[in-house]
Amino acid sequence: MRPLMQPLMQPQMYWVERDGVRWLEASLGEARVAFSARSGGVSEAPFDSLNLGLMTEDRRTAVLENRGRLAGALGFDPGGALVGLQVHGARLAVHDAPPARPGYLDPAPDPVEADGQVARAPGLAAVVLVADCLPVALAGPGGVAMLHCGWRGLAAGIVARGAEAVGATSAVVGPGIGPCCYEVGGEVIAALGETGQAAAVAAKDAGAEPRWMLDLPAIARGLLAVAGIGQIAVAGHCTSCEPELFFSHRRDAGRTGRQAGVAWLPA
C-alpha cells in the first residue's frame, strides 16, 4: 500500500461542478474527499435530482443512474466503491481489495451492516449516504475512511474507531444538520454525555420536558480532536437550511433523497 503524505495545512474545501453534478471537494494528503449536492441527476421530485439512496421511494433505475453519474464526475471507479447497510452504529468495514460484488452499482440483497467504510488501497472509494447525519472523512498512513455520523454513531464511538483504523492525522466533516435546526430531547444529550452537554443549548419555551438544540458538527470536531487529529476542517453547511443544495430527512419529514460522502486514494 502506498503511504499517504502528511498534510501540511488545514484541509480546504471548495465547490466543483462537472456535467451538472456539484460537490464540495477537499484533499487530505494524497486522498481525495467529496461531498455531493443534490443537482445533476435524473430523479424526479421530491428526490430531485441526484438522489443516491436506494432505500427511498425513488425509482431504482434512477438511483443507479445517479450513482454512475457521480462516479463519472468525481473520477472514481464504481467497481471499487465500498458501501454498506447503515444502521446508526459504530461498525467499520475494512477493505484491502475491491469487493467481490460491486454493491455501489449492483447492490446485494443482504448487504453487510456498517456505518463506516475503510479503504486501505488505491482505487478503492469509501462511501456513505446521508440526509442530515454527518459524513466524516479521515486519512492517515493506514488509508482513508468515510463515516456515517448521527448522534447514535457518535455516542457509540465511531469516530475513535475510524481514527484508529487508519491512524488518522487529518479529517473533514461534511455538510449535516446544524444547531439551528436540530432539536433533540434530553435522552439524546444524556446518551452523548459530557460531549453532548458541551455542544447543545436549551431550546426556547422548553416547557416541562427538556429540549435542546444540538451542534452535531461541534461534537464530531471535539471527538476528532480527542482522537489526536490535529488537521480538521468543517464544511459549515446545514442540510436542513439549504434545500437547493441538500436533502434533509428532518426538513422533508423523511420523504427525501440521500447525498454522499466519498473518500478515495486515486489509483
Side-chain angles (χ1 to χ4, degrees):
M1 184 188 67
R2 179 175 58 184
L4 296 180
M5 295 186 300
Q6 294 291 329
L8 300 178
M9 60 185 68
Q10 295 286 1
Q12 301 295 313
M13 276 178 278
Y14 47 92
W15 282 103
V16 181
E17 182 170 344
R18 184 174 298 129
D19 299 328
V21 177
R22 294 188 70 195
W23 67 91
L24 268 174
E25 182 159 332
S27 294
L28 298 178
E30 292 183 6
R32 289 183 61 195
V33 176
F35 304 108
S36 69
R38 65 183 297 171
S39 60
V42 299
S43 294
E44 300 176 353
F47 310 105
D48 51 319
S49 64
L50 195 76
N51 172 31
L52 305 168
L54 284 168
M55 297 180 68
T56 63
E57 298 175 31
D58 197 1
R59 292 179 295 117
R60 180 184 178 88
T61 55
V63 173
L64 296 180
E65 169 67 20
N66 294 339
R67 289 186 174 192
R69 290 191 178 200
L70 181 68
L74 295 181
F76 68 85
D77 178 7
L82 313 169
V83 294
L85 177 61
Q86 297 169 190
V87 293
H88 296 276
R91 184 181 184 277
L92 307 180
V94 180
H95 306 264
D96 297 295
R101 176 171 179 165
Y104 182 76
L105 292 182
D106 183 23
D110 54 345
V112 175
E113 292 184 359
D115 282 86
Q117 298 293 328
V118 177
R120 295 194 182 278
L124 302 181
V127 181
V128 299
L129 303 177
V130 290
D132 280 337
C133 292
L134 299 171
V136 176
L138 305 168
V144 296
M146 182 64 74
L147 311 178
H148 166 243
C149 297
W151 71 262
R152 291 178 177 85
L154 292 173
I158 193 170
V159 166
R161 292 186 185 184
E164 181 180 8
V166 300
T169 58
S170 56
V172 180
V173 180
I177 194 166
C180 47
C181 299
Y182 195 23
E183 181 181 319
V184 300
E187 73 282 358
V188 174
I189 304 302
L192 289 164
E194 293 183 3
T195 301
Q197 293 171 20
V201 296
K204 294 180 179 179
D205 304 321
E209 294 295 327
R211 299 185 299 125
W212 305 86
M213 303 304 292
L214 187 63
D215 192 337
L216 212 57
I219 293 175
R221 181 168 197 145
L223 292 172
L224 290 165
V226 168
I229 301 171
Q231 308 293 334
I232 305 169
V234 180
H237 287 275
C238 172
T239 48
S240 180
C241 281
E242 302 182 70
E244 73 284 359
L245 286 175
F246 304 112
F247 300 109
S248 168
H249 188 274
R250 178 162 290 209
R251 180 194 65 227
D252 299 331
R255 195 164 188 260
T256 193
R258 301 292 186 271
Q259 51 259 349
V262 188
W264 72 103
L265 296 169

